[in-house]
Amino acid sequence: MKKVMISLFVLGLMLLTPLSVLAEIQVIPSIPNEPSSSKDTENGMVKTFPIYVELTGDEDNFTDNHFDFTFEFGSAIKEFTCDGYGNFEAKTGGDVSTQGTCTFTNSSQINLGKSQVGTISVRVDKNASDADCTIKYMLGSASSTFNTNNPNTGVSIPYEIIIGGLVLAAGAYIVTSKKTKLYKI
């Protein structure tokens, strides 16, 4: 009797709880660190980066049809332009010395998932250091940096240390193998 009452209680709770939760749309921007194309000109290196936006959540809750990106540029960036992609149109504003803005607008329904909304092209001074080439972007509360150097992710070991270690290991093997006697069982 006790098991039946617990089963009925659990079944009643399952019927009262909703089977799906309508989640608010999350907008996740991303721009890869490496450019999709680069061109060397007499005024500097022109690099083009794709701009992606991923939408997650309930599609019925998403009513915006534009994305407002804000950019902060390193001192090596001399100019920038934004271009739309697919159904998105781009509007560029601001300046590289203060803050640049790119607004991507779509007149049709925006679907969930990751899609490219546009590109940003920057002209970089050839003689500038790599530290001055970084670009920071913001979309809502999300922000990140791209066009940065890849960090050194491992320790580089000189070949002399590796060869020395192999010689020591071979020497230790030779010394210990001459003193070891094998007995027949």
Side-chain angles (χ1 to χ4, degrees), residues 15-133:
L15 292 174
L16 290 176
T17 57
L19 296 177
S20 67
V21 177
L22 298 177
E24 187 174 312
I25 289 284
Q26 286 192 347
V27 179
I28 305 165
S30 64
I31 300 175
N33 192 41
E34 295 296 320
S36 61
S37 68
S38 59
K39 180 174 44 172
D40 199 6
T41 66
E42 62 186 42
N43 295 331
M45 178 73 72
V46 176
K47 296 181 177 183
T48 302
F49 297 89
I51 299 175
Y52 297 99
V53 173
E54 183 176 1
L55 302 175
T56 60
D58 182 26
E59 195 167 5
D60 295 333
N61 288 343
F62 190 69
T63 57
D64 287 343
N65 64 346
H66 67 281
F67 302 102
D68 297 321
F69 281 84
T70 304
F71 295 96
E72 293 177 0
F73 300 101
S75 59
I77 308 297
K78 298 304 176 192
E79 69 180 89
F80 79 102
T81 58
C82 295
D83 292 315
Y85 183 83
N87 293 333
F88 286 91
E89 295 178 10
K91 179 180 170 189
T92 304
D95 194 325
V96 292
S97 61
T98 55
Q99 269 190 345
T101 60
C102 292
T103 301
F104 300 98
T105 306
N106 190 346
S107 58
S108 61
Q109 174 70 27
I110 300 174
N111 297 326
L112 294 180
K114 186 174 183 177
S115 59
Q116 184 174 351
V117 297
T119 60
I120 182 169
S121 298
V122 294
R123 184 173 55 85
V124 182
D125 183 10
K126 291 182 190 179
N127 299 326
S129 72
D130 290 340
D132 297 335
C133 298

